[in-house]
Amino acid sequence: MKVANNQLRAKGYDKTPDFILEVPVAVEGHIIHWIESKASFGDESSHQAYLQDQFWSYWNRFGPGLVIYWYGFIEELDCHRERGILLKDCFPTDIVTLRHSMAQR
């Protein structure tokens, strides 16, 4: 995967999140447009590097998003929810989807 990202960068493309949602969802009352999955523990140094190198760029291009750290994270790092980056340690079960309803005439 790093090779693919490096090839994209060589062509002038930036990294993208693992999932970009065509229709946003809500998680814990926050709208989510993208999901990034990290098969690691979210410690302070790696999370700060990810924020700088990836997450804020995703936020800037796609809006608010969700980061899933498979092996947990330091709870204090989940401090950017109001700005649009949520942290979780598993895929959320409380997702609210937007429903399209057609008005009957």
Side-chain angles (χ1 to χ4, degrees):
M1 182 118 164
K2 289 184 184 244
V3 173
N5 280 332
N6 288 339
Q7 290 172 344
L8 289 172
R9 282 187 184 182
K11 293 180 179 182
Y13 295 102
D14 205 359
K15 285 187 173 188
T16 59
D18 292 326
F19 300 95
I20 300 171
L21 305 176
E22 288 184 20
V23 177
V25 298
V27 174
E28 299 175 5
H30 299 273
I31 300 296
I32 301 299
H33 293 269
W34 55 268
I35 300 172
E36 177 73 7
S37 178
K38 296 293 184 192
S40 62
F41 177 79
D43 62 43
E44 189 168 349
S45 63
S46 65
H47 182 68
Q48 292 303 323
Y50 286 137
L51 277 170
Q52 181 179 348
D53 297 339
Q54 292 179 300
F55 304 157
W56 289 124
S57 174
Y58 300 166
W59 178 88
N60 191 44
R61 289 184 292 154
F62 306 110
L66 169 66
V67 177
I68 301 172
Y69 282 109
W70 295 10
Y71 299 103
F73 56 90
I74 298 171
E75 194 170 322
E76 290 78 15
L77 298 176
D78 191 17
C79 60
H80 298 290
R81 286 176 166 244
E82 295 308 315
R83 290 186 61 197
I85 297 178
L86 280 70
L87 303 184
K88 300 285 280 179
D89 60 3
C90 62
F91 196 82
T93 58
D94 58 343
I95 293 175
V96 177
T97 58
L98 299 175
R99 295 183 184 168
H100 180 72
S101 61
M102 295 179 65
Q104 293 185 357
R105 296 179 188 208

